[in-house]
Short mmCIF file of all heavy atoms in Angstrom, two decimals:
data_model
loop_
_atom_site.label_atom_id
_atom_site.label_comp_id
_atom_site.label_asym_id
_atom_site.label_seq_id
_atom_site.Cartn_x
_atom_site.Cartn_y
_atom_site.Cartn_z
N MET A 26 12.08 -11.61 11.63
CA MET A 26 12.70 -10.29 11.70
C MET A 26 12.71 -9.64 10.31
O MET A 26 13.02 -10.30 9.33
CB MET A 26 14.14 -10.42 12.22
CG MET A 26 14.80 -9.09 12.54
SD MET A 26 14.11 -8.35 14.02
CE MET A 26 15.11 -9.15 15.28
N LYS A 27 12.35 -8.38 10.28
CA LYS A 27 12.43 -7.64 9.02
C LYS A 27 13.33 -6.43 9.22
O LYS A 27 13.57 -6.02 10.36
CB LYS A 27 11.04 -7.19 8.56
CG LYS A 27 10.18 -8.31 8.04
CD LYS A 27 8.86 -7.75 7.52
CE LYS A 27 8.04 -8.88 6.89
NZ LYS A 27 6.76 -8.37 6.37
N PHE A 28 13.78 -5.90 8.12
CA PHE A 28 14.62 -4.72 8.17
C PHE A 28 13.92 -3.59 7.43
O PHE A 28 13.31 -3.80 6.39
CB PHE A 28 15.99 -5.01 7.54
CG PHE A 28 16.72 -6.10 8.25
CD1 PHE A 28 16.61 -7.41 7.82
CD2 PHE A 28 17.48 -5.83 9.37
CE1 PHE A 28 17.27 -8.44 8.48
CE2 PHE A 28 18.13 -6.85 10.04
CZ PHE A 28 18.03 -8.15 9.60
N SER A 29 14.00 -2.40 8.02
CA SER A 29 13.28 -1.27 7.47
C SER A 29 14.18 -0.04 7.39
O SER A 29 15.07 0.14 8.23
CB SER A 29 12.06 -0.98 8.34
OG SER A 29 11.30 0.07 7.79
N LEU A 30 13.94 0.77 6.39
CA LEU A 30 14.71 2.01 6.25
C LEU A 30 13.79 3.12 5.76
O LEU A 30 13.02 2.92 4.82
CB LEU A 30 15.86 1.83 5.24
CG LEU A 30 16.63 3.11 4.95
CD1 LEU A 30 17.66 3.38 6.03
CD2 LEU A 30 17.30 3.08 3.60
N ALA A 31 13.87 4.28 6.42
CA ALA A 31 13.19 5.47 5.92
C ALA A 31 14.22 6.25 5.11
O ALA A 31 15.23 6.69 5.65
CB ALA A 31 12.67 6.31 7.08
N CYS A 32 13.97 6.38 3.82
CA CYS A 32 14.95 7.07 2.97
C CYS A 32 15.20 8.49 3.48
O CYS A 32 16.30 9.00 3.37
CB CYS A 32 14.46 7.09 1.52
SG CYS A 32 15.67 7.77 0.37
N GLY A 33 14.16 9.11 4.07
CA GLY A 33 14.31 10.46 4.56
C GLY A 33 15.37 10.61 5.65
O GLY A 33 15.85 11.72 5.90
N ASP A 34 15.74 9.49 6.28
CA ASP A 34 16.82 9.55 7.27
C ASP A 34 18.18 9.75 6.60
O ASP A 34 19.15 10.16 7.23
CB ASP A 34 16.86 8.26 8.10
CG ASP A 34 15.73 8.21 9.12
OD1 ASP A 34 15.08 9.25 9.34
OD2 ASP A 34 15.50 7.12 9.68
N VAL A 35 18.23 9.38 5.32
CA VAL A 35 19.48 9.50 4.57
C VAL A 35 19.40 10.67 3.61
O VAL A 35 20.35 11.44 3.46
CB VAL A 35 19.77 8.19 3.79
CG1 VAL A 35 21.10 8.29 3.06
CG2 VAL A 35 19.77 6.99 4.73
N MET A 36 18.25 10.79 2.94
CA MET A 36 18.00 11.86 1.98
C MET A 36 16.88 12.72 2.52
O MET A 36 15.70 12.42 2.31
CB MET A 36 17.57 11.28 0.62
CG MET A 36 18.54 10.29 0.02
SD MET A 36 19.78 11.17 -0.94
CE MET A 36 20.61 9.78 -1.71
N PRO A 37 17.21 13.78 3.25
CA PRO A 37 16.16 14.59 3.88
C PRO A 37 15.10 15.03 2.88
O PRO A 37 15.42 15.44 1.78
CB PRO A 37 16.95 15.80 4.41
CG PRO A 37 18.33 15.27 4.65
CD PRO A 37 18.56 14.27 3.55
N GLY A 38 13.85 14.89 3.29
CA GLY A 38 12.74 15.31 2.45
C GLY A 38 12.09 14.18 1.69
O GLY A 38 10.99 14.33 1.18
N CYS A 39 12.78 13.03 1.59
CA CYS A 39 12.21 11.90 0.88
C CYS A 39 11.27 11.14 1.81
O CYS A 39 11.59 10.90 2.97
CB CYS A 39 13.30 10.97 0.36
SG CYS A 39 12.65 9.62 -0.65
N THR A 40 10.11 10.76 1.30
CA THR A 40 9.12 10.09 2.14
C THR A 40 9.07 8.58 1.89
O THR A 40 8.22 7.90 2.46
CB THR A 40 7.72 10.68 1.89
OG1 THR A 40 7.41 10.58 0.51
CG2 THR A 40 7.65 12.12 2.33
N SER A 41 9.95 8.07 1.03
CA SER A 41 9.92 6.64 0.72
C SER A 41 10.41 5.81 1.90
O SER A 41 11.36 6.18 2.58
CB SER A 41 10.81 6.34 -0.50
OG SER A 41 10.27 6.96 -1.64
N ARG A 42 9.74 4.68 2.11
CA ARG A 42 10.16 3.72 3.14
C ARG A 42 10.32 2.36 2.49
O ARG A 42 9.58 2.02 1.58
CB ARG A 42 9.12 3.62 4.25
CG ARG A 42 8.87 4.91 5.01
CD ARG A 42 8.02 4.62 6.24
NE ARG A 42 8.78 3.85 7.21
CZ ARG A 42 9.49 4.40 8.19
NH1 ARG A 42 9.51 5.69 8.34
NH2 ARG A 42 10.16 3.64 9.02
N PHE A 43 11.27 1.59 3.01
CA PHE A 43 11.53 0.27 2.45
C PHE A 43 11.57 -0.74 3.58
O PHE A 43 12.07 -0.47 4.66
CB PHE A 43 12.86 0.26 1.69
CG PHE A 43 12.88 1.25 0.57
CD1 PHE A 43 13.33 2.54 0.77
CD2 PHE A 43 12.41 0.89 -0.68
CE1 PHE A 43 13.31 3.47 -0.26
CE2 PHE A 43 12.39 1.81 -1.71
CZ PHE A 43 12.84 3.10 -1.50
N THR A 44 11.03 -1.91 3.30
CA THR A 44 11.06 -3.00 4.27
C THR A 44 11.38 -4.28 3.53
O THR A 44 10.86 -4.54 2.45
CB THR A 44 9.69 -3.13 4.98
OG1 THR A 44 9.37 -1.90 5.60
CG2 THR A 44 9.74 -4.24 6.04
N SER A 45 12.27 -5.07 4.10
CA SER A 45 12.62 -6.33 3.47
C SER A 45 13.00 -7.34 4.54
O SER A 45 13.21 -7.00 5.70
CB SER A 45 13.77 -6.13 2.48
OG SER A 45 13.99 -7.32 1.75
N THR A 46 13.08 -8.60 4.11
CA THR A 46 13.40 -9.66 5.07
C THR A 46 14.90 -9.87 5.19
O THR A 46 15.34 -10.63 6.03
CB THR A 46 12.73 -10.98 4.67
OG1 THR A 46 13.03 -11.25 3.31
CG2 THR A 46 11.22 -10.89 4.86
N SER A 47 15.69 -9.21 4.36
CA SER A 47 17.14 -9.31 4.49
C SER A 47 17.78 -7.95 4.27
O SER A 47 17.27 -7.12 3.50
CB SER A 47 17.72 -10.34 3.51
OG SER A 47 17.86 -9.77 2.23
N ARG A 48 18.89 -7.72 4.94
CA ARG A 48 19.59 -6.45 4.79
C ARG A 48 20.07 -6.28 3.35
O ARG A 48 20.04 -5.17 2.80
CB ARG A 48 20.82 -6.40 5.71
CG ARG A 48 20.49 -6.30 7.18
CD ARG A 48 21.76 -6.17 8.00
NE ARG A 48 22.20 -4.79 8.12
CZ ARG A 48 21.92 -4.01 9.17
NH1 ARG A 48 21.23 -4.48 10.18
NH2 ARG A 48 22.32 -2.78 9.21
N GLU A 49 20.52 -7.40 2.75
CA GLU A 49 21.06 -7.32 1.40
C GLU A 49 19.96 -6.89 0.41
O GLU A 49 20.18 -6.06 -0.47
CB GLU A 49 21.64 -8.68 0.98
CG GLU A 49 22.90 -9.08 1.73
CD GLU A 49 22.63 -9.51 3.18
OE1 GLU A 49 21.47 -9.86 3.50
OE2 GLU A 49 23.58 -9.47 3.99
N GLN A 50 18.78 -7.50 0.58
CA GLN A 50 17.67 -7.16 -0.30
C GLN A 50 17.25 -5.71 -0.09
O GLN A 50 16.97 -4.97 -1.04
CB GLN A 50 16.49 -8.11 -0.04
CG GLN A 50 15.25 -7.82 -0.88
CD GLN A 50 15.49 -8.02 -2.36
OE1 GLN A 50 16.34 -8.81 -2.76
NE2 GLN A 50 14.76 -7.28 -3.18
N LEU A 51 17.22 -5.29 1.17
CA LEU A 51 16.84 -3.92 1.48
C LEU A 51 17.83 -2.95 0.84
O LEU A 51 17.42 -1.95 0.23
CB LEU A 51 16.81 -3.73 3.01
CG LEU A 51 16.41 -2.35 3.49
CD1 LEU A 51 15.02 -1.96 2.99
CD2 LEU A 51 16.44 -2.31 5.02
N MET A 52 19.11 -3.23 0.97
CA MET A 52 20.12 -2.36 0.39
C MET A 52 19.97 -2.29 -1.12
O MET A 52 20.14 -1.23 -1.73
CB MET A 52 21.52 -2.88 0.78
CG MET A 52 22.64 -1.91 0.52
SD MET A 52 22.51 -0.38 1.47
CE MET A 52 23.28 -0.89 3.02
N ALA A 53 19.62 -3.43 -1.75
CA ALA A 53 19.43 -3.45 -3.20
C ALA A 53 18.25 -2.57 -3.59
O ALA A 53 18.31 -1.82 -4.58
CB ALA A 53 19.21 -4.89 -3.68
N GLU A 54 17.16 -2.64 -2.80
CA GLU A 54 15.99 -1.83 -3.11
C GLU A 54 16.28 -0.35 -2.93
O GLU A 54 15.88 0.49 -3.73
CB GLU A 54 14.82 -2.24 -2.20
CG GLU A 54 14.25 -3.60 -2.54
CD GLU A 54 13.06 -3.95 -1.67
OE1 GLU A 54 12.46 -3.04 -1.08
OE2 GLU A 54 12.75 -5.15 -1.57
N VAL A 55 17.00 -0.03 -1.85
CA VAL A 55 17.34 1.37 -1.59
C VAL A 55 18.27 1.89 -2.69
O VAL A 55 18.12 3.02 -3.16
CB VAL A 55 17.99 1.53 -0.21
CG1 VAL A 55 18.53 2.94 -0.02
CG2 VAL A 55 16.98 1.20 0.89
N GLY A 56 19.21 1.04 -3.11
CA GLY A 56 20.12 1.45 -4.16
C GLY A 56 19.40 1.75 -5.47
O GLY A 56 19.68 2.74 -6.13
N ALA A 57 18.43 0.89 -5.80
CA ALA A 57 17.66 1.09 -7.02
C ALA A 57 16.84 2.38 -6.92
O ALA A 57 16.74 3.15 -7.88
CB ALA A 57 16.74 -0.10 -7.27
N HIS A 58 16.26 2.62 -5.73
CA HIS A 58 15.48 3.84 -5.51
C HIS A 58 16.37 5.08 -5.60
O HIS A 58 15.99 6.08 -6.21
CB HIS A 58 14.82 3.76 -4.12
CG HIS A 58 14.34 5.08 -3.61
ND1 HIS A 58 13.23 5.73 -4.11
CD2 HIS A 58 14.83 5.89 -2.62
CE1 HIS A 58 13.07 6.89 -3.45
NE2 HIS A 58 14.03 7.00 -2.56
N ALA A 59 17.56 5.00 -5.01
CA ALA A 59 18.48 6.15 -5.04
C ALA A 59 18.85 6.50 -6.48
O ALA A 59 18.93 7.67 -6.84
CB ALA A 59 19.73 5.84 -4.21
N ARG A 60 19.07 5.45 -7.30
CA ARG A 60 19.41 5.69 -8.69
C ARG A 60 18.24 6.30 -9.44
O ARG A 60 18.39 7.25 -10.20
CB ARG A 60 19.84 4.39 -9.37
CG ARG A 60 21.32 4.08 -9.17
CD ARG A 60 21.75 2.87 -9.99
NE ARG A 60 21.31 1.62 -9.39
CZ ARG A 60 21.99 1.00 -8.43
NH1 ARG A 60 23.11 1.49 -7.97
NH2 ARG A 60 21.53 -0.13 -7.92
N ALA A 61 17.04 5.74 -9.22
CA ALA A 61 15.86 6.16 -9.98
C ALA A 61 15.35 7.53 -9.56
O ALA A 61 14.96 8.35 -10.39
CB ALA A 61 14.75 5.12 -9.83
N ASP A 62 15.34 7.78 -8.24
CA ASP A 62 14.67 8.99 -7.74
C ASP A 62 15.62 10.08 -7.25
O ASP A 62 15.21 11.22 -7.08
CB ASP A 62 13.72 8.61 -6.60
CG ASP A 62 12.52 7.83 -7.10
OD1 ASP A 62 12.22 7.91 -8.31
OD2 ASP A 62 11.89 7.12 -6.30
N HIS A 63 16.86 9.73 -6.98
CA HIS A 63 17.79 10.74 -6.47
C HIS A 63 18.97 10.97 -7.39
O HIS A 63 19.86 11.76 -7.06
CB HIS A 63 18.28 10.34 -5.07
CG HIS A 63 17.18 10.25 -4.07
ND1 HIS A 63 16.40 11.32 -3.70
CD2 HIS A 63 16.71 9.20 -3.35
CE1 HIS A 63 15.50 10.93 -2.81
NE2 HIS A 63 15.66 9.64 -2.58
N GLY A 64 19.02 10.25 -8.52
CA GLY A 64 20.10 10.45 -9.47
C GLY A 64 21.45 10.00 -8.96
O GLY A 64 22.48 10.44 -9.46
N VAL A 65 21.43 9.12 -7.95
CA VAL A 65 22.68 8.59 -7.42
C VAL A 65 23.15 7.46 -8.33
O VAL A 65 22.49 6.43 -8.43
CB VAL A 65 22.50 8.08 -5.98
CG1 VAL A 65 23.79 7.45 -5.47
CG2 VAL A 65 22.06 9.22 -5.07
N VAL A 66 24.27 7.68 -8.99
CA VAL A 66 24.75 6.67 -9.94
C VAL A 66 25.45 5.53 -9.21
O VAL A 66 25.25 4.36 -9.51
CB VAL A 66 25.70 7.31 -10.97
CG1 VAL A 66 26.27 6.25 -11.91
CG2 VAL A 66 24.99 8.39 -11.76
N ASP A 67 26.24 5.90 -8.24
CA ASP A 67 27.04 4.91 -7.54
C ASP A 67 27.00 5.21 -6.05
O ASP A 67 27.21 6.35 -5.64
CB ASP A 67 28.49 4.97 -8.03
CG ASP A 67 29.12 3.59 -8.11
OD1 ASP A 67 28.44 2.60 -7.78
OD2 ASP A 67 30.29 3.53 -8.49
N LEU A 68 26.68 4.20 -5.25
CA LEU A 68 26.67 4.39 -3.80
C LEU A 68 28.10 4.23 -3.28
O LEU A 68 28.65 3.14 -3.31
CB LEU A 68 25.76 3.37 -3.13
CG LEU A 68 24.26 3.47 -3.46
CD1 LEU A 68 23.51 2.37 -2.73
CD2 LEU A 68 23.70 4.82 -3.08
N ASP A 69 28.70 5.33 -2.84
CA ASP A 69 30.06 5.20 -2.33
C ASP A 69 30.03 4.62 -0.92
O ASP A 69 28.98 4.60 -0.26
CB ASP A 69 30.82 6.54 -2.41
CG ASP A 69 30.23 7.60 -1.51
OD1 ASP A 69 29.95 7.30 -0.33
OD2 ASP A 69 30.07 8.73 -1.98
N PRO A 70 31.18 4.13 -0.46
CA PRO A 70 31.20 3.42 0.84
C PRO A 70 30.66 4.24 2.00
O PRO A 70 30.02 3.69 2.90
CB PRO A 70 32.70 3.11 1.03
CG PRO A 70 33.23 3.03 -0.36
CD PRO A 70 32.47 4.08 -1.14
N GLN A 71 30.88 5.54 1.98
CA GLN A 71 30.37 6.37 3.08
C GLN A 71 28.85 6.40 3.07
O GLN A 71 28.20 6.34 4.12
CB GLN A 71 30.94 7.79 2.97
CG GLN A 71 30.56 8.63 4.19
CD GLN A 71 31.08 10.06 4.10
OE1 GLN A 71 31.94 10.36 3.29
NE2 GLN A 71 30.55 10.92 4.94
N VAL A 72 28.27 6.50 1.87
CA VAL A 72 26.80 6.50 1.76
C VAL A 72 26.24 5.16 2.22
O VAL A 72 25.24 5.09 2.93
CB VAL A 72 26.36 6.83 0.32
CG1 VAL A 72 24.85 6.66 0.16
CG2 VAL A 72 26.76 8.26 -0.04
N VAL A 73 26.92 4.09 1.79
CA VAL A 73 26.47 2.75 2.20
C VAL A 73 26.51 2.63 3.72
O VAL A 73 25.58 2.10 4.33
CB VAL A 73 27.34 1.66 1.54
CG1 VAL A 73 27.03 0.28 2.13
CG2 VAL A 73 27.11 1.64 0.03
N ARG A 74 27.57 3.14 4.35
CA ARG A 74 27.65 3.09 5.82
C ARG A 74 26.53 3.88 6.46
O ARG A 74 25.95 3.46 7.46
CB ARG A 74 29.01 3.63 6.30
CG ARG A 74 30.09 2.55 6.43
CD ARG A 74 31.22 3.02 7.31
NE ARG A 74 31.85 4.25 6.82
CZ ARG A 74 32.79 4.29 5.87
NH1 ARG A 74 33.19 3.18 5.33
NH2 ARG A 74 33.31 5.43 5.48
N THR A 75 26.24 5.05 5.88
CA THR A 75 25.16 5.89 6.42
C THR A 75 23.83 5.16 6.32
O THR A 75 23.06 5.11 7.30
CB THR A 75 25.08 7.22 5.66
OG1 THR A 75 26.34 7.89 5.78
CG2 THR A 75 23.98 8.11 6.24
N ILE A 76 23.56 4.58 5.15
CA ILE A 76 22.32 3.83 4.97
C ILE A 76 22.27 2.68 5.96
O ILE A 76 21.26 2.46 6.65
CB ILE A 76 22.22 3.30 3.52
CG1 ILE A 76 22.07 4.45 2.54
CG2 ILE A 76 21.05 2.31 3.39
CD1 ILE A 76 22.18 4.05 1.08
N ASP A 77 23.38 1.95 6.07
CA ASP A 77 23.41 0.79 6.95
C ASP A 77 23.11 1.18 8.39
O ASP A 77 22.42 0.45 9.11
CB ASP A 77 24.79 0.13 6.85
CG ASP A 77 24.76 -1.32 7.29
OD1 ASP A 77 23.98 -2.10 6.71
OD2 ASP A 77 25.49 -1.67 8.22
N SER A 78 23.61 2.35 8.80
CA SER A 78 23.41 2.78 10.19
C SER A 78 21.96 3.19 10.46
O SER A 78 21.55 3.28 11.61
CB SER A 78 24.35 3.95 10.52
OG SER A 78 23.92 5.14 9.88
N LYS A 79 21.19 3.45 9.39
CA LYS A 79 19.80 3.89 9.54
C LYS A 79 18.81 2.74 9.44
O LYS A 79 17.61 2.93 9.66
CB LYS A 79 19.46 4.94 8.47
CG LYS A 79 20.34 6.16 8.46
CD LYS A 79 20.16 6.99 9.72
CE LYS A 79 20.94 8.30 9.60
NZ LYS A 79 20.90 9.06 10.87
N ILE A 80 19.32 1.56 9.06
CA ILE A 80 18.43 0.41 8.95
C ILE A 80 18.01 -0.04 10.35
O ILE A 80 18.84 -0.17 11.24
CB ILE A 80 19.14 -0.75 8.21
CG1 ILE A 80 19.39 -0.37 6.75
CG2 ILE A 80 18.28 -2.03 8.29
CD1 ILE A 80 20.19 -1.41 5.97
N VAL A 81 16.73 -0.21 10.53
CA VAL A 81 16.22 -0.69 11.81
C VAL A 81 15.57 -2.06 11.61
O VAL A 81 14.98 -2.34 10.58
CB VAL A 81 15.19 0.29 12.41
CG1 VAL A 81 15.86 1.62 12.75
CG2 VAL A 81 14.04 0.53 11.47
N SER A 82 15.74 -2.92 12.59
CA SER A 82 15.12 -4.23 12.51
C SER A 82 13.78 -4.18 13.23
O SER A 82 13.66 -3.57 14.29
CB SER A 82 16.02 -5.30 13.12
OG SER A 82 16.47 -4.90 14.39
N VAL A 83 12.78 -4.80 12.62
CA VAL A 83 11.44 -4.81 13.19
C VAL A 83 10.96 -6.26 13.30
O VAL A 83 11.27 -7.08 12.44
CB VAL A 83 10.45 -3.98 12.34
CG1 VAL A 83 10.78 -2.51 12.40
CG2 VAL A 83 10.46 -4.45 10.90
N PRO A 84 10.20 -6.58 14.33
CA PRO A 84 9.69 -7.94 14.46
C PRO A 84 8.78 -8.29 13.29
O PRO A 84 7.98 -7.47 12.86
CB PRO A 84 8.88 -7.91 15.76
CG PRO A 84 9.38 -6.71 16.49
CD PRO A 84 9.80 -5.72 15.44
N ALA A 85 8.94 -9.47 12.75
CA ALA A 85 8.12 -9.88 11.61
C ALA A 85 6.68 -10.09 12.05
O ALA A 85 6.43 -10.44 13.20
CB ALA A 85 8.68 -11.15 11.00
ZN1 ZN B 16 14.51 8.48 -1.35
#
């Protein structure tokens, strides 16, 4: 099982997609991307919940 997230589901207009084998790793990658490309310094709990709700699991 893998986990995938389209950043555009959270940040409209962004075309970046992330896939990882763990939710924790995926969240770390998305967090790093948000900081680097969206200027998000700190992911507040509401943003984390929104991201978490957009993560989809895909068969490995
Ligand atoms: Zn993005």
